[in-house]
Amino acid sequence: MRKVKKRLKMSKFERLIYTLALFLLVVSPVSIVFSKATLANINYEVERQKQKIAAQQKTNDSLAMTINELASLTKIQEVAETEGLSYNNSNIKTVTDR
């Protein structure tokens, strides 16, 4: 005598549930890896922009110091002397409001 195996019949709803569970098991890890890769790329771009900002800040500070050096009174007098100008106190006029 041969044993007859009973085959379990699955309803359409059960098949849908199993298919959905299998789909989620496959899609979840893929989506997690994709989101982590995207986040890493964004963090890389943020760090690159921070480095650009720091470099530009150094350039701005350097240019501000250069401006202050060039605007100093001693530098102005030095440039005036090289251009043949002189400081004459008698030519200075003071204007006041009355």
Side-chain angles (χ1 to χ4, degrees), residues 5-96:
K5 290 185 181 179
K6 283 189 176 180
R7 193 167 175 193
L8 293 176
K9 290 187 177 182
M10 292 188 346
S11 68
K12 288 182 180 180
F13 180 71
E14 286 176 322
R15 259 188 268 152
L16 178 68
I17 294 294
Y18 289 132
T19 306
L20 183 62
L22 182 64
F23 178 74
L24 288 176
L25 282 174
V26 171
V27 170
S28 295
V30 172
S31 65
I32 289 171
V33 168
F34 178 74
S35 65
K36 296 274 184 177
T38 305
L39 182 63
N41 190 21
I42 290 171
N43 284 336
Y44 173 74
E45 289 296 324
V46 167
E47 288 302 318
R48 212 173 87 200
Q49 291 299 323
K50 282 183 181 179
Q51 289 175 352
K52 282 184 179 179
I53 289 170
Q56 186 63 46
Q57 190 70 32
K58 284 182 183 179
T59 303
N60 290 350
D61 291 343
S62 174
L63 290 174
M65 285 197 315
T66 303
I67 289 171
N68 289 336
E69 288 173 6
L70 292 175
S72 69
L73 183 59
T74 56
K75 182 67 177 177
I76 292 173
Q77 287 175 345
E78 182 182 307
V79 170
E81 286 176 7
T82 59
E83 294 296 320
L85 302 173
S86 64
Y87 180 74
N88 188 352
N89 200 18
S90 63
N91 287 341
I92 298 175
K93 306 264 187 217
T94 305
V95 179
T96 58

